[in-house]
């Protein structure tokens, strides 16, 4: 059964990319979207498909409002926060098949202490030592003698707030400890904005290596493993600047990465699969959607840094660029529990690069980053071989106005990294 009316929850570049790929389905679905702002790219796809753009909160009440207007056959949840808020739970209550997980399963991303504890309980490979704290004073006491550690918020916070401290030189120890204290206090302040988990701070064993992401689509029994993708979490080029939402990603040549062996990739997929099994045993619920593992390739092999309970942004752009098949059919199969019957493949000789463009001020000064004008020559960009996916922008009077976060994400596909990188740089500049 192919469901003809789809409701996408979310309004960023990830959701624009999902909508664009769904619009290419041979089944020609009517695509609607629940958004907080009118994403220009999503709006155009919705209008072309005969759907409706519903502007409301990305929460259960917003879902109810959207459902009453578009009566969807399938709900697809893009970002993590609607999952944390229980949008998939509300969809299940309304009897609507959903690609995206309820809050108890999304806890694997929302609560990093829960994820770490699950790995240790079920002896999942790739785990590292950690301590979780509710009390800031206990955290401060622990870090004073903890050595080299990573200090991070216990809750998912858009890729921000993580700091690693290497305590290797005795003459720097006082300064390092002062920096650790500063980080704990900063995390505590940031966590004050959240009251949906009780743990505040996670302190982990520090590890070093190259990072990458492995995402799998799950129907609760079977998985489709997507190509490994490496993203750049730093706001500026050359891996400098504060960490934020991903500013770009690479994959290729083919469904691989240059630094990752097939054995290391398969090991990463197996870690993700075992986590799915453990999470389903722990909750008694079926996982229908995407589980992503952010890994670091250390001297011990693939080591898990954190999980995502949805498609990564911008990693989804790269993943869908490499996929040869009908995304709607894959999502339908996941919802129906028949993913094992789906045939799929990825481009073998291609490289895909995505790059985000953000206004000055992002990520720490959103007020400075709001209200800036962007002009985009879409025809010229397509001539140069790129696609644009809209994020935190609206369209006013022929101009695009920034809303404070990543404005657009640009995707290029080519046969080599040099060729593809030159494409994307020409499009951006």
């Amino acid at each position: 059964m192919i469901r003809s009316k789809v409701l996408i929850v979310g309004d960023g570049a990830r959701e624009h990319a999902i909508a664009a790929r769904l619009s290419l389905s041979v089944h020609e679905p009517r695509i609607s979207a629940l958004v907080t702002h009118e994403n220009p790219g999503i709006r155009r796809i919705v209008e072309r498909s005969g759907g409706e753009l519903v502007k409301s909160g990305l929460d259960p009440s917003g879902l109810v409002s959207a459902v009453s207007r578009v009566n969807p056959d399938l709900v697809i949840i893009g970002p993590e926060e609607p999952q944390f808020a229980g949008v998939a739970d509300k969809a299940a209550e309304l009897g609507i098949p959903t690609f995206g997980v309820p809050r108890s399963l999304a806890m694997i991303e929302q609560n990093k202490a829960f994820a770490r504890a699950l790995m240790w309980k079920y002896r999942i490979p790739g785990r590292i030592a950690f301590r979780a704290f509710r009390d800031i004073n206990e955290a401060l006491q622990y870090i004073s003698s903890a050595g080299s550690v990573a200090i991070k918020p216990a809750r998912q916070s858009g890729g921000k707030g993580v700091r690693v401290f290497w305590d290797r030189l005795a003459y720097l120890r006082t300064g390092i400890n002062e920096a650790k204290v500063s980080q704990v206090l900063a995390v505590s302040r940031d966590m004050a904005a959240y009251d949906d988990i009780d743990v505040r701070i996670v302190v982990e064993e520090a590890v070093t290596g190259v990072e990458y992401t492995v995402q799998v689509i799950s129907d609760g029994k079977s998985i489709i493993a997507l190509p490994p993708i490496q993203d750049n979490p730093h706001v500026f080029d050359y891996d400098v600047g504060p960490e934020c939402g991903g500013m770009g990603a690479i994959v290729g040549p083919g469904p691989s990465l240059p630094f990752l062996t097939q054995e290391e990739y398969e090991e990463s997929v197996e870690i993700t699969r075992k986590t799915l099994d453990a999470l389903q045993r722990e909750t008694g619920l079926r996982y229908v959607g995407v589980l992503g593992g952010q890994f670091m390739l250390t001297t011990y092999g693939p080591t898990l840094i954190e999980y995502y309970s949805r498609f990564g942004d911008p990693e989804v752009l790269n993943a869908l660029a490499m996929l040869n098949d009908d995304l709607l059919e894959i999502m339908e199969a996941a919802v129906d529990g028949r993913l094992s019957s789906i045939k799929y493949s990825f481009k073998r000789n291609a490289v895909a690069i995505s790059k985000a463009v953000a206004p000055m001020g992002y990520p720490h000064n959103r007020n400075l980053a709001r209200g800036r004008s962007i002009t985009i020559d879409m025809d010229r960009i397509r001539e140069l071989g790129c696609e644009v996916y809209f994020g935190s922008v609206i369209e006013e009077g022929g101009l695009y106005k920034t809303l404070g976060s990543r404005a657009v994400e640009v995707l290029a596909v080519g046969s080599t990294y040099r060729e593809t990188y030159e494409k994307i740089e020409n499009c951006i500049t």
Side-chain angles (χ1 to χ4, degrees):
M1 170 186 175
I2 293 295
R3 298 167 176 88
S4 60
K5 293 185 292 183
V6 175
L7 175 66
I8 297 173
V9 177
D11 48 27
R14 165 181 38 221
E15 291 73 45
H16 183 187
I18 292 170
R21 189 55 184 260
L22 290 173
S23 72
L24 300 178
S25 171
V26 297
H27 304 286
E28 300 181 340
R30 181 181 300 173
I31 300 170
S32 297
L34 173 61
V35 299
T36 58
H37 71 272
E38 288 197 12
N39 178 302
I42 295 175
R43 186 191 69 237
R44 289 166 193 156
I45 292 169
V46 164
E47 290 172 350
R48 285 198 302 267
S49 73
E52 186 173 349
L53 200 69
V54 181
K55 193 174 178 182
S56 185
L58 306 185
D59 53 26
S61 62
L63 179 73
V64 170
S65 175
V67 166
S68 68
R69 289 171 59 174
V70 306
N71 190 29
D73 304 313
L74 174 67
V75 170
I76 299 168
I77 302 175
E80 65 273 19
E81 289 296 338
Q83 294 184 342
F84 302 164
V87 169
D89 303 77
K90 177 56 71 173
E93 183 183 316
L94 297 172
I96 306 170
T98 302
F99 186 88
V101 297
R103 183 169 185 250
S104 57
L105 290 172
M107 194 66 68
I108 194 70
E109 174 174 8
Q110 185 183 21
N111 189 331
K112 296 171 187 176
F114 169 82
R116 287 294 182 204
L118 186 80
M119 293 187 77
W120 280 93
K121 178 177 179 178
Y122 288 91
R123 301 174 119 12
I124 297 170
R127 61 191 183 273
I128 57 177
F130 81 104
R131 287 283 303 274
F133 299 93
R134 295 180 177 86
D135 185 277
I136 185 173
N137 292 317
E138 290 182 6
L140 290 170
Q141 182 178 358
Y142 177 77
I143 62 167
S144 65
S145 58
S148 297
V149 293
I151 301 173
K152 58 180 66 175
R155 189 191 190 278
Q156 169 60 249
S157 55
K160 300 180 290 294
V162 181
R163 297 290 182 273
V164 179
F165 300 90
W166 295 103
D167 189 359
R168 292 169 171 164
L169 299 172
Y171 70 93
L172 293 178
R173 188 153 296 142
T174 298
I176 293 294
N177 282 337
E178 288 175 356
K180 289 180 185 177
V181 169
S182 177
Q183 172 65 1
V184 167
L185 295 175
V187 168
S188 181
R189 286 193 299 270
D190 291 343
M191 285 295 296
Y194 303 106
D195 60 3
D196 48 6
I197 67 171
D198 56 356
V199 179
R200 305 279 90 190
I201 297 166
V202 172
V203 181
E204 296 177 349
E205 168 190 358
V207 291
T208 185
V210 62
E211 292 189 35
Y212 60 97
T213 300
V214 170
Q215 303 171 102
V216 304
I217 297 173
S218 166
D219 67 359
K221 298 175 293 183
S222 302
I223 63 169
I224 291 177
L226 301 177
I229 295 169
Q230 183 183 44
D231 84 318
N232 173 30
H234 298 278
V235 71
F236 302 126
D237 288 340
Y238 309 112
D239 291 329
V240 298
E243 290 194 358
C244 55
M247 292 298 291
I250 64 168
V251 61
S256 63
L257 285 169
F259 57 83
L260 196 66
T261 67
Q262 182 65 21
E263 182 181 0
E264 289 161 345
Y265 168 65
E266 290 173 359
E267 187 178 343
S268 306
V269 171
E270 188 60 21
I271 290 169
T272 310
R273 186 199 299 271
K274 288 181 176 180
T275 303
L276 275 169
D277 292 343
L279 187 56
Q280 290 180 130
R281 287 200 299 272
E282 195 74 6
T283 63
L285 298 173
R286 186 165 72 100
Y287 197 108
V288 178
V290 176
L291 180 63
Q294 182 183 347
F295 291 90
M296 181 174 285
L297 191 58
T298 71
T299 54
Y300 306 106
T303 300
L304 194 285
I305 302 301
E306 61 185 8
Y307 291 107
Y308 307 120
S309 58
R310 36 71 192 182
F311 279 122
D313 183 2
E315 293 96 328
V316 67
L317 276 64
N318 304 66
L320 295 182
M322 301 300 287
L323 180 67
N324 289 323
D325 304 282
D326 192 312
L327 180 63
L328 180 60
E329 291 183 357
I330 291 173
M331 289 182 164
E332 289 278 355
V335 166
D336 293 339
R338 51 181 179 81
L339 209 53
S340 61
S341 67
I342 288 288
K343 294 182 179 180
Y344 63 94
S345 64
F346 303 102
K347 293 180 174 65
R348 302 304 307 179
N349 298 306
V351 166
I353 299 177
S354 59
K355 189 168 185 177
V357 179
M360 183 181 296
Y362 176 78
H364 293 316
N365 189 342
R366 299 299 178 96
N367 289 330
L368 179 62
R370 288 190 186 96
R372 295 179 174 270
S373 296
I374 302 175
T375 57
I376 303 175
D377 186 341
M378 298 296 292
D379 291 336
R380 180 59 179 155
I381 286 174
R382 290 195 180 101
E383 282 178 18
L384 292 169
C386 297
E387 291 293 333
V388 174
Y389 298 95
F390 291 94
S392 181
V393 293
I394 55 173
E395 193 171 8
E396 289 183 351
L399 292 175
Y400 299 103
K401 297 284 188 179
T402 63
L403 299 176
S405 188
R406 293 168 294 176
V408 299
E409 293 171 18
V410 184
L411 173 74
V413 179
S415 56
T416 67
Y417 276 108
R418 179 179 291 277
E419 172 204 343
T420 312
Y421 180 76
E422 288 175 354
K423 273 189 190 180
I424 209 163
E425 287 300 303
N426 288 336
C427 288
I428 288 174
T429 57

